[in-house]
Amino acid sequence: MLLIPCPYCGPRSETEFSYGNQAHIARPEDPDALSDGDWAAYVFLRDNTKGVYLERWVHSHGCRRWFNVARHTVSYEILAVYEVGTPPPDIELKTEI
Amino acid sequence: MTRRYSIFALVRNALSYHENWPQVWRSPEPRPEYDVIIVGGGGHGLATAYYLAKEHGITNVAVIERGWLGGGNTGRNTTIVRSNYLWDESAALYEHALKLWEGLSRELNFNVMFSQRGVLNLAHNQHDLRELHRRINANRLNGIDSEFLTPRQIQAMVPIMDLRGNGRYPVLGASLQRRGGTARHDAVAWGYARQADARGVDIIQECPVTGFRITNGRIEGVETGKGFIRAKKVGVVVAGHASVLANMAGFRLPITSLPLQALVSEPVKPVIDTVVMSGAVHAYVSQSDKGELVIGAGVDKYVGYGQRGSLPVTEETLAAVCELFPLFRRMRMMRQWGGIVDTCPDASPIISRTPVENLFFNCGWGTGGFKATPGSGWVFAYTIARGEPHPLNAAFSLDRFRTGYLIDEHGAAAVAH
């Protein structure tokens, strides 16, 4: 069970949240110019990192606001929580094999 | 030379107190070069190596496994085997696997304990019921046995299920695939390993892959914990770690790795002689030969490589199990664990060439890979040997995410993934 520190409501149980997978995927600026392969990459391809992953969460059963989380996907340790639209904090993005 | 297992071998070895059974497979040091390297020593990888040797005569093969054989999802699943998938492509692939299951113990000379005890998929509301009928009809058009059971017929088959209809999950009907059932998961890995080894395949355990050597877009070999091993072709079958290996090779996959969990109860007398699945409530129940209830739960909602599974998921599943089988309310669970499943956006596997020449991936089986083990190995061996997919897995290419030809088995495949 994760205890997720919502930046607006404080620490709450994971059951209150919904998941949005990888963060910092920008919607293409000029969709008309995209090839099928570019669309596939935007819609489907994800880093799915084993290690520190930058991901989106929404506090569905609380303030209903989205935010970003840096979480280690093996230890599940939450290393940072930051607002949508801000760059990721300065932490080492360690990965494992 | 692997000795055949038989009643005579059993008697002969009994006379020497079972102290002289030969080692089942060798543990060789890797050679400097192979024709094919299979990364991943689970059921799918070992089956691939076996069919490469048997069907295609390619025996200069190594299976490289970071841990021990069948220590990943092969040893962590709930061992259910069925082929009642909705779409034609999936039905053909899983039915091919089921047909291989039906002769597998004899073929491998190893008892994989394949038990065709039937698989029930429950419907809890009108929508479930309509989907159920649609799937049953689709299955029958594809030549797959599938039939509808009314609550009264379910009662006759599974007397311990609460069918009064006033609970939280009323049961309105079920589909039944009589040829479905369970198999002994470890035996599948061991059986394939033994026969692959007998045909000359090197099985190398405790040897993690740390990278690929790629020149001009072509695979040269793999970097491992035991040094560089050259290979003409490489096939990767590593389930939850597919993305990690793809990242090493310089491309990304449409895969999300999630822990899927399962539990076993304390052993009790036989109470359920079939498999009951309820996709809507994420609860799958069967009883092992030891008497333990084997319970499958759902996946966590967030990316995870920790083989545990989240507690709210356990709670939800056990609540549903207690609701459907009131008898189990006082049973204790003995063990709980998780396996990392590689889920695809369309809940169908990827058995495909990749952007790197002579590097092949077999992944994306998500929550339902065990049932496909023989078929997956069979088509993947074909794909590696010929350098192009078999008609059975042609639709399961990585390219389908570009073309949009998805095989959407989400919900359609009798379970809510």
Side-chain angles (χ1 to χ4, degrees):
Chain A
M1 174 87 80
L2 296 181
L3 192 61
I4 300 170
C6 171
Y8 311 105
C9 309
R12 300 294 174 93
S13 151
E14 77 174 58
T15 52
E16 294 186 16
F17 297 85
S18 302
Y19 188 59
N21 212 325
Q22 190 172 347
H24 305 294
I25 295 176
R27 188 172 171 80
E29 299 237 333
D30 184 5
D32 291 338
L34 249 50
S35 68
D36 290 352
D38 294 336
W39 270 119
Y42 168 65
V43 177
F44 295 119
L45 301 187
R46 297 292 177 265
D47 288 344
N48 195 28
T49 308
K50 184 180 186 184
V52 178
Y53 198 39
L54 305 177
E55 58 193 17
R56 300 180 305 154
W57 286 83
V58 57
H59 196 181
S60 311
H61 302 291
C63 62
R64 296 192 175 183
R65 292 173 77 174
W66 285 91
F67 55 94
N68 293 338
V69 174
R71 182 178 60 93
H72 198 290
T73 57
V74 181
S75 69
Y76 295 2
E77 186 184 358
I78 292 172
L79 302 161
V81 176
Y82 56 102
E83 279 182 39
V84 170
T86 58
D90 188 22
I91 51 172
E92 195 193 345
L93 298 178
K94 276 186 286 195
T95 58
E96 295 184 12
I97 57 167
Chain B
M1 179 61 202
T2 304
R3 293 226 189 115
R4 268 191 75 77
Y5 290 154
S6 67
I7 182 75
F8 304 108
L10 194 64
V11 170
R12 193 171 56 241
N13 281 282
L15 294 175
S16 56
Y17 302 98
H18 296 296
E19 285 174 358
N20 294 317
W21 286 103
Q23 199 173 350
V24 178
W25 54 79
R26 300 163 293 129
S27 296
E29 283 302 306
R31 279 179 247 160
E33 179 169 2
Y34 290 94
D35 289 341
V36 178
I37 288 178
I38 304 294
V39 181
H44 290 231
L46 293 163
T48 306
Y50 168 72
Y51 291 115
L52 272 173
K54 181 185 170 240
E55 303 283 340
H56 305 282
I58 301 172
T59 55
N60 185 22
V61 175
V63 176
I64 296 179
E65 164 59 45
R66 74 182 297 171
W68 63 95
L69 296 190
N73 292 352
T74 302
R76 292 167 184 270
N77 64 83
T78 50
T79 79
I80 299 168
V81 176
R82 61 189 177 86
S83 67
N84 54 352
Y85 279 65
L86 179 71
W87 300 108
D88 294 350
E89 295 86 354
S90 328
L93 183 62
Y94 289 100
E95 178 63 12
H96 179 65
L98 182 53
K99 284 185 174 142
L100 290 170
W101 275 112
E102 287 174 328
L104 198 60
S105 289
R106 179 161 298 220
E107 178 174 351
L108 297 179
N109 179 228
F110 201 102
N111 187 4
V112 298
M113 296 167 74
F114 181 47
S115 160
Q116 292 178 295
R117 58 183 68 183
V119 174
L120 287 161
N121 293 98
L122 305 182
H124 297 293
N125 54 46
Q126 289 297 332
H127 179 75
D128 281 357
L129 212 50
R130 278 195 285 272
E131 282 296 317
L132 199 79
H133 280 298
R134 179 189 180 206
R135 185 169 46 75
I136 289 170
N137 290 331
N139 290 160
R140 294 171 83 138
L141 285 170
N142 277 319
I144 293 167
D145 74 303
S146 196
E147 56 194 276
F148 180 74
L149 295 189
T150 62
R152 188 183 290 265
Q153 289 169 307
I154 299 170
Q155 186 83 77
M157 220 174 145
V158 191
I160 58 168
M161 200 190 297
D162 183 0
L163 289 157
R164 289 171 297 173
N166 54 2
R168 188 168 165 199
Y169 305 113
V171 177
L172 305 186
S175 71
L176 168 64
Q177 185 178 22
R178 291 190 192 273
R179 286 164 61 240
T182 60
R184 170 100 171 102
H185 47 10
D186 296 325
V188 178
W190 298 335
Y192 274 122
R194 176 167 166 266
Q195 288 298 349
D197 177 88
R199 284 171 162 78
V201 172
D202 282 357
I203 296 169
I204 299 154
Q205 302 183 66
E206 296 181 323
C207 180
V209 167
T210 53
F212 296 104
R213 194 177 290 178
I214 295 163
T215 313
N216 298 327
R218 195 189 184 98
I219 195 87
E220 300 262 317
V222 294
E223 306 281 357
T224 75
K226 298 189 179 189
F228 175 69
I229 310 174
R230 194 170 288 280
K232 294 191 180 76
K233 294 177 178 180
V234 176
V236 176
V237 211
V238 294
H241 281 69
S243 297
V244 177
L245 276 277
N247 290 342
M248 284 180 196
F251 59 93
R252 293 195 298 169
L253 292 171
I255 279 181
T256 304
S257 293
L258 305 169
L260 173 68
Q261 59 181 301
L263 313 93
V264 291
S265 74
E266 56 190 332
V268 291
K269 286 183 178 176
V271 286
I272 180 165
D273 63 357
T274 183
V275 181
V276 176
M277 306 181 64
S278 171
V281 296
H282 284 304
Y284 318 129
V285 180
S286 64
Q287 193 172 16
S288 75
D289 292 348
K290 285 185 284 186
E292 302 155 339
L293 294 178
V294 182
I295 296 172
V299 289
D300 288 2
K301 62 185 171 191
Y302 44 87
V303 172
Y305 287 85
Q307 292 172 314
R308 300 182 288 274
S310 174
L311 265 175
V313 176
T314 326
E315 190 179 359
E316 190 191 326
T317 294
L318 289 179
V321 167
C322 292
E323 193 68 30
L324 286 171
F325 304 97
L327 185 72
F328 296 158
R329 282 185 185 173
R330 287 192 294 164
M331 262 172 99
R332 281 164 295 197
M333 293 297 134
M334 279 207 311
R335 297 190 302 279
Q336 176 268 1
W337 65 90
I340 308 308
V341 299
D342 41 343
T343 58
C344 248
D346 59 353
S348 285
I350 298 164
I351 313 159
S352 178
R353 286 185 291 220
T354 67
V356 179
E357 203 179 335
N358 289 337
L359 175 65
F360 303 86
F361 263 64
N362 181 352
C363 58
W365 290 94
T367 58
F370 177 73
K371 68 174 81 67
T373 304
S376 163
W378 196 92
V379 295
F380 197 40
Y382 184 102
T383 306
I384 294 171
R386 306 285 183 96
E388 61 182 22
H390 186 272
L392 278 173
N393 67 311
F396 295 92
S397 71
L398 191 51
D399 199 42
R400 74 176 185 267
F401 296 95
R402 186 185 63 79
T403 62
Y405 195 93
L406 302 184
I407 304 157
D408 187 7
E409 289 288 354
H410 262 293
V415 298
H417 292 272

